[in-house]
Amino acid sequence: MVPQHSHADALQLEALLVARTYLYTLFHKALGGEPTEELIAYMQDETTSNVLDEYAENNEALAALKSFLEGLRTQDQISLLDQVKDEYTRTFLGPNVLPASPYESPYITQEATLFQENTLVVREAFRSEGFLPKAYQHVPDDHVSIMCHFAVLRAAQALAAFRNGDAQGAAELLRAQNIFTREHMANWLGDYAKGLRYSKTAVLYPQLVEGLAAFVDSDVMFADEAAYWLEGEEAAAGASEEFAKANAALEKLQAMRLPHLSENELAPI
């Protein structure tokens, strides 16, 4: 017989399921859309610090990201936004050569071209779950922000299954997502982060990508452990009242729209 876990264990698991959905959403938005005052405020928000705390205790890179984002509060916000906008342009748009490619394929093949065979593999992974990029065939599917959006959608499904009392469904979703995470995110984001260290500035994006790489590595381990924990478990239905504030912050974050973000989003087929 599989032992049943305590209510405290279930609350801790729910906290981590909420946290991973929040963080994937934040990374997706931050790495996929033009920065705004609202985005910068989210980076420094107390909720973001609290969510990072869920993972930062045993992860130096995420602890460093938490401290870095909290430190942004001491800066002049108008000047900070101008600097972040400039860095966003040089990191993702050009016109000069980007400090590091935000696409998976060049790290796999060592070739700088886009829309490679691996791009189609990623596209099929999206399609198999009923999604395609909104900018289908115009933007390479293996962009870091699009992958984060895929992670958001799967993380939200796992959280919903857990809260609906479907522990087995949540476990299956976590395992399925983890296959993609291992094969198409954990395999290159560390190299991407190293590449951005050579950027002319380190206002925000090098730190964010380094944090994302560390978070993905941590999430790979968490998803496996959580799926194992859920085997034979009866998840409590309904969102726990303890997470009302985090849920409200997550909903607000999910609703935030940034210029050009739609180019790096998935949509149902």
Side-chain angles (χ1 to χ4, degrees):
M1 177 182 295
V2 177
Q4 297 299 297
H5 300 281
S6 70
H7 178 64
D9 290 335
L11 285 178
Q12 179 59 28
L13 177 56
E14 185 175 356
L16 289 166
L17 291 172
V18 172
R20 69 194 295 268
T21 307
Y22 183 99
L23 287 176
Y24 274 127
T25 303
L26 186 64
F27 285 123
H28 157 59
K29 303 252 178 178
L31 302 177
E34 182 179 330
T36 63
E37 183 179 350
E38 185 179 13
L39 174 66
I40 299 303
Y42 255 100
M43 293 292 171
Q44 307 167 59
D45 190 76
E46 180 183 359
T47 300
T48 299
S49 293
N50 292 339
V51 167
L52 282 169
D53 264 340
E54 295 290 343
Y55 290 89
E57 182 177 354
N58 298 311
N59 191 306
E60 291 183 4
L62 290 176
L65 178 62
K66 176 179 179 290
S67 296
F68 168 76
L69 294 178
E70 290 175 345
L72 297 180
R73 300 170 187 169
T74 65
Q75 298 189 31
D76 178 270
Q77 298 301 296
I78 295 176
S79 175
L80 175 61
L81 179 58
D82 287 342
Q83 293 178 64
V84 171
K85 284 184 175 180
D86 180 66
E87 189 173 74
Y88 165 80
T89 299
R90 288 185 290 102
T91 301
F92 295 106
L93 304 179
N96 298 321
V97 176
L98 303 184
S101 175
Y103 304 96
E104 178 192 6
S105 292
Y107 298 91
I108 304 302
T109 65
Q110 307 304 313
E111 297 177 4
T113 56
L114 302 180
F115 288 105
Q116 299 183 37
E117 181 179 352
N118 182 73
T119 310
L120 302 181
V121 173
V122 172
R123 179 181 300 170
E124 286 308 307
F126 296 158
R127 192 195 302 271
S128 69
E129 297 298 331
F131 301 102
L132 280 176
K134 289 183 179 179
Y136 174 60
Q137 293 186 329
H138 294 285
V139 175
D141 309 63
D142 55 348
H143 188 281
V144 58
S145 178
I146 298 178
M147 290 189 179
C148 284
H149 193 211
F150 188 55
V152 169
L153 296 170
R154 304 309 305 280
Q157 290 172 341
L159 175 60
F162 177 82
R163 286 177 164 172
N164 288 332
D166 184 6
Q168 299 309 303
E172 290 172 7
L173 285 163
L174 286 167
R175 287 199 173 101
Q177 179 180 355
N178 219 18
I179 293 173
F180 182 88
T181 305
R182 288 178 186 274
E183 295 181 352
H184 296 291
M185 297 182 76
N187 61 323
W188 69 281
L189 288 174
D191 290 334
Y192 180 31
K194 290 177 183 176
L196 282 184
R197 291 175 189 168
Y198 296 99
S199 177
K200 292 181 179 179
T201 61
V203 181
L204 178 64
Y205 293 101
Q207 293 90 337
L208 277 184
V209 173
E210 191 162 285
L212 171 60
F215 170 63
V216 165
D217 287 343
S218 178
D219 191 52
V220 164
M221 293 185 290
F222 164 74
D224 276 344
E225 292 172 358
Y228 178 79
W229 188 96
L230 286 163
E231 288 296 336
E233 193 68 22
E234 294 181 3
S240 301
E241 294 181 1
E242 287 86 343
F243 304 111
K245 185 177 180 180
N247 292 333
L250 175 58
E251 290 177 4
K252 185 177 179 181
L253 177 61
Q254 290 171 328
M256 181 177 65
R257 302 304 303 167
L258 301 175
H260 310 299
L261 181 63
S262 62
E263 298 171 11
N264 294 310
E265 287 184 320
L266 295 167
I269 298 175

